[in-house]
mmCIF file with all atom_site columns, all heavy atoms in Angstrom:
data_model
loop_
_atom_site.group_PDB
_atom_site.id
_atom_site.type_symbol
_atom_site.label_atom_id
_atom_site.label_alt_id
_atom_site.label_comp_id
_atom_site.label_asym_id
_atom_site.label_entity_id
_atom_site.label_seq_id
_atom_site.pdbx_PDB_ins_code
_atom_site.Cartn_x
_atom_site.Cartn_y
_atom_site.Cartn_z
_atom_site.occupancy
_atom_site.B_iso_or_equiv
_atom_site.pdbx_formal_charge
_atom_site.auth_seq_id
_atom_site.auth_comp_id
_atom_site.auth_asym_id
_atom_site.auth_atom_id
_atom_site.pdbx_PDB_model_num
ATOM 1  N N   . GLY A 1 410 ? -14.270 30.133 8.087  1.00 96.00 ? 521 GLY A N   1
ATOM 2  C CA  . GLY A 1 410 ? -13.693 29.136 8.971  1.00 96.00 ? 521 GLY A CA  1
ATOM 3  C C   . GLY A 1 410 ? -13.435 29.644 10.372 1.00 96.00 ? 521 GLY A C   1
ATOM 4  O O   . GLY A 1 410 ? -13.340 28.848 11.314 1.00 96.00 ? 521 GLY A O   1
ATOM 5  N N   . ASP A 1 411 ? -13.342 30.973 10.537 1.00 97.00 ? 522 ASP A N   1
ATOM 6  C CA  . ASP A 1 411 ? -13.139 31.553 11.862 1.00 97.00 ? 522 ASP A CA  1
ATOM 7  C C   . ASP A 1 411 ? -14.446 31.822 12.600 1.00 97.00 ? 522 ASP A C   1
ATOM 8  O O   . ASP A 1 411 ? -14.439 32.368 13.714 1.00 97.00 ? 522 ASP A O   1
ATOM 9  C CB  . ASP A 1 411 ? -12.345 32.856 11.740 1.00 97.00 ? 522 ASP A CB  1
ATOM 10 C CG  . ASP A 1 411 ? -13.036 33.883 10.846 1.00 97.00 ? 522 ASP A CG  1
ATOM 11 O OD1 . ASP A 1 411 ? -14.117 33.566 10.292 1.00 97.00 ? 522 ASP A OD1 1
ATOM 12 O OD2 . ASP A 1 411 ? -12.495 34.995 10.684 1.00 97.00 ? 522 ASP A OD2 1
ATOM 13 N N   . GLY A 1 412 ? -15.589 31.449 11.999 1.00 97.00 ? 523 GLY A N   1
ATOM 14 C CA  . GLY A 1 412 ? -16.879 31.652 12.631 1.00 97.00 ? 523 GLY A CA  1
ATOM 15 C C   . GLY A 1 412 ? -17.453 33.041 12.438 1.00 97.00 ? 523 GLY A C   1
ATOM 16 O O   . GLY A 1 412 ? -18.551 33.328 12.936 1.00 97.00 ? 523 GLY A O   1
ATOM 17 N N   . ARG A 1 413 ? -16.769 33.877 11.683 1.00 98.00 ? 524 ARG A N   1
ATOM 18 C CA  . ARG A 1 413 ? -17.266 35.231 11.466 1.00 98.00 ? 524 ARG A CA  1
ATOM 19 C C   . ARG A 1 413 ? -18.238 35.259 10.294 1.00 98.00 ? 524 ARG A C   1
ATOM 20 O O   . ARG A 1 413 ? -18.033 34.578 9.286  1.00 98.00 ? 524 ARG A O   1
ATOM 21 C CB  . ARG A 1 413 ? -16.097 36.184 11.211 1.00 98.00 ? 524 ARG A CB  1
ATOM 22 C CG  . ARG A 1 413 ? -16.461 37.672 11.335 1.00 98.00 ? 524 ARG A CG  1
ATOM 23 C CD  . ARG A 1 413 ? -15.217 38.519 11.320 1.00 98.00 ? 524 ARG A CD  1
ATOM 24 N NE  . ARG A 1 413 ? -14.348 38.239 12.454 1.00 98.00 ? 524 ARG A NE  1
ATOM 25 C CZ  . ARG A 1 413 ? -14.497 38.781 13.657 1.00 98.00 ? 524 ARG A CZ  1
ATOM 26 N NH1 . ARG A 1 413 ? -15.502 39.629 13.883 1.00 98.00 ? 524 ARG A NH1 1
ATOM 27 N NH2 . ARG A 1 413 ? -13.663 38.480 14.631 1.00 98.00 ? 524 ARG A NH2 1
ATOM 28 N N   . VAL A 1 414 ? -19.314 36.044 10.445 1.00 98.00 ? 525 VAL A N   1
ATOM 29 C CA  . VAL A 1 414 ? -20.335 36.141 9.407  1.00 98.00 ? 525 VAL A CA  1
ATOM 30 C C   . VAL A 1 414 ? -19.780 36.930 8.226  1.00 98.00 ? 525 VAL A C   1
ATOM 31 O O   . VAL A 1 414 ? -19.407 38.102 8.355  1.00 98.00 ? 525 VAL A O   1
ATOM 32 C CB  . VAL A 1 414 ? -21.615 36.814 9.935  1.00 98.00 ? 525 VAL A CB  1
ATOM 33 C CG1 . VAL A 1 414 ? -22.637 36.955 8.804  1.00 98.00 ? 525 VAL A CG1 1
ATOM 34 C CG2 . VAL A 1 414 ? -22.205 36.013 11.088 1.00 98.00 ? 525 VAL A CG2 1
ATOM 35 N N   . ARG A 1 415 ? -19.706 36.260 7.078  1.00 98.00 ? 526 ARG A N   1
ATOM 36 C CA  . ARG A 1 415 ? -19.237 36.920 5.865  1.00 98.00 ? 526 ARG A CA  1
ATOM 37 C C   . ARG A 1 415 ? -20.369 37.611 5.102  1.00 98.00 ? 526 ARG A C   1
ATOM 38 O O   . ARG A 1 415 ? -20.171 38.638 4.469  1.00 98.00 ? 526 ARG A O   1
ATOM 39 C CB  . ARG A 1 415 ? -18.579 35.902 4.934  1.00 98.00 ? 526 ARG A CB  1
ATOM 40 C CG  . ARG A 1 415 ? -17.291 35.299 5.427  1.00 98.00 ? 526 ARG A CG  1
ATOM 41 C CD  . ARG A 1 415 ? -16.745 34.361 4.362  1.00 98.00 ? 526 ARG A CD  1
ATOM 42 N NE  . ARG A 1 415 ? -15.476 33.764 4.746  1.00 98.00 ? 526 ARG A NE  1
ATOM 43 C CZ  . ARG A 1 415 ? -14.819 32.889 3.981  1.00 98.00 ? 526 ARG A CZ  1
ATOM 44 N NH1 . ARG A 1 415 ? -15.324 32.528 2.795  1.00 98.00 ? 526 ARG A NH1 1
ATOM 45 N NH2 . ARG A 1 415 ? -13.671 32.384 4.380  1.00 98.00 ? 526 ARG A NH2 1
ATOM 46 N N   . GLU A 1 416 ? -21.541 37.005 5.167  1.00 97.00 ? 527 GLU A N   1
ATOM 47 C CA  . GLU A 1 416 ? -22.626 37.488 4.317  1.00 97.00 ? 527 GLU A CA  1
ATOM 48 C C   . GLU A 1 416 ? -23.955 37.022 4.882  1.00 97.00 ? 527 GLU A C   1
ATOM 49 O O   . GLU A 1 416 ? -24.061 35.919 5.433  1.00 97.00 ? 527 GLU A O   1
ATOM 50 C CB  . GLU A 1 416 ? -22.443 36.944 2.888  1.00 97.00 ? 527 GLU A CB  1
ATOM 51 C CG  . GLU A 1 416 ? -23.505 37.341 1.898  1.00 97.00 ? 527 GLU A CG  1
ATOM 52 C CD  . GLU A 1 416 ? -23.360 36.634 0.552  1.00 97.00 ? 527 GLU A CD  1
ATOM 53 O OE1 . GLU A 1 416 ? -22.458 35.774 0.417  1.00 97.00 ? 527 GLU A OE1 1
ATOM 54 O OE2 . GLU A 1 416 ? -24.151 36.958 -0.356 1.00 97.00 ? 527 GLU A OE2 1
ATOM 55 N N   . VAL A 1 417 ? -24.981 37.852 4.735  1.00 98.00 ? 528 VAL A N   1
ATOM 56 C CA  . VAL A 1 417 ? -26.370 37.458 4.975  1.00 98.00 ? 528 VAL A CA  1
ATOM 57 C C   . VAL A 1 417 ? -27.079 37.551 3.630  1.00 98.00 ? 528 VAL A C   1
ATOM 58 O O   . VAL A 1 417 ? -27.069 38.603 2.985  1.00 98.00 ? 528 VAL A O   1
ATOM 59 C CB  . VAL A 1 417 ? -27.044 38.372 6.016  1.00 98.00 ? 528 VAL A CB  1
ATOM 60 C CG1 . VAL A 1 417 ? -28.508 37.973 6.192  1.00 98.00 ? 528 VAL A CG1 1
ATOM 61 C CG2 . VAL A 1 417 ? -26.312 38.293 7.355  1.00 98.00 ? 528 VAL A CG2 1
ATOM 62 N N   . ARG A 1 418 ? -27.697 36.446 3.193  1.00 98.00 ? 529 ARG A N   1
ATOM 63 C CA  . ARG A 1 418 ? -28.229 36.385 1.829  1.00 98.00 ? 529 ARG A CA  1
ATOM 64 C C   . ARG A 1 418 ? -29.541 35.608 1.810  1.00 98.00 ? 529 ARG A C   1
ATOM 65 O O   . ARG A 1 418 ? -29.866 34.884 2.780  1.00 98.00 ? 529 ARG A O   1
ATOM 66 C CB  . ARG A 1 418 ? -27.220 35.711 0.906  1.00 98.00 ? 529 ARG A CB  1
ATOM 67 C CG  . ARG A 1 418 ? -27.073 34.211 1.167  1.00 98.00 ? 529 ARG A CG  1
ATOM 68 C CD  . ARG A 1 418 ? -25.941 33.576 0.406  1.00 98.00 ? 529 ARG A CD  1
ATOM 69 N NE  . ARG A 1 418 ? -25.950 32.113 0.570  1.00 98.00 ? 529 ARG A NE  1
ATOM 70 C CZ  . ARG A 1 418 ? -24.941 31.304 0.274  1.00 98.00 ? 529 ARG A CZ  1
ATOM 71 N NH1 . ARG A 1 418 ? -23.801 31.813 -0.208 1.00 98.00 ? 529 ARG A NH1 1
ATOM 72 N NH2 . ARG A 1 418 ? -25.047 29.997 0.442  1.00 98.00 ? 529 ARG A NH2 1
ATOM 73 N N   . PRO A 1 419 ? -30.294 35.685 0.702  1.00 98.00 ? 530 PRO A N   1
ATOM 74 C CA  . PRO A 1 419 ? -31.459 34.803 0.543  1.00 98.00 ? 530 PRO A CA  1
ATOM 75 C C   . PRO A 1 419 ? -30.992 33.348 0.494  1.00 98.00 ? 530 PRO A C   1
ATOM 76 O O   . PRO A 1 419 ? -29.831 33.053 0.182  1.00 98.00 ? 530 PRO A O   1
ATOM 77 C CB  . PRO A 1 419 ? -32.056 35.246 -0.793 1.00 98.00 ? 530 PRO A CB  1
ATOM 78 C CG  . PRO A 1 419 ? -31.515 36.609 -1.037 1.00 98.00 ? 530 PRO A CG  1
ATOM 79 C CD  . PRO A 1 419 ? -30.147 36.631 -0.419 1.00 98.00 ? 530 PRO A CD  1
ATOM 80 N N   . ARG A 1 420 ? -31.901 32.434 0.766  1.00 98.00 ? 531 ARG A N   1
ATOM 81 C CA  . ARG A 1 420 ? -31.565 31.013 0.740  1.00 98.00 ? 531 ARG A CA  1
ATOM 82 C C   . ARG A 1 420 ? -31.201 30.556 -0.665 1.00 98.00 ? 531 ARG A C   1
ATOM 83 O O   . ARG A 1 420 ? -31.843 30.926 -1.642 1.00 98.00 ? 531 ARG A O   1
ATOM 84 C CB  . ARG A 1 420 ? -32.729 30.172 1.255  1.00 98.00 ? 531 ARG A CB  1
ATOM 85 C CG  . ARG A 1 420 ? -32.815 30.134 2.780  1.00 98.00 ? 531 ARG A CG  1
ATOM 86 C CD  . ARG A 1 420 ? -33.954 29.231 3.220  1.00 98.00 ? 531 ARG A CD  1
ATOM 87 N NE  . ARG A 1 420 ? -33.825 27.902 2.646  1.00 98.00 ? 531 ARG A NE  1
ATOM 88 C CZ  . ARG A 1 420 ? -34.844 27.088 2.404  1.00 98.00 ? 531 ARG A CZ  1
ATOM 89 N NH1 . ARG A 1 420 ? -36.085 27.483 2.680  1.00 98.00 ? 531 ARG A NH1 1
ATOM 90 N NH2 . ARG A 1 420 ? -34.638 25.895 1.893  1.00 98.00 ? 531 ARG A NH2 1
ATOM 91 N N   . GLY A 1 421 ? -30.133 29.730 -0.719 1.00 98.00 ? 532 GLY A N   1
ATOM 92 C CA  . GLY A 1 421 ? -29.692 29.168 -1.988 1.00 98.00 ? 532 GLY A CA  1
ATOM 93 C C   . GLY A 1 421 ? -28.374 29.744 -2.442 1.00 98.00 ? 532 GLY A C   1
ATOM 94 O O   . GLY A 1 421 ? -28.314 30.892 -2.874 1.00 98.00 ? 532 GLY A O   1
#
Side-chain angles (χ1 to χ4, degrees):
D522 58 358
R524 195 170 297 276
V525 177
R526 293 182 178 179
E527 179 187 4
V528 177
R529 71 189 187 195
R531 280 183 55 207

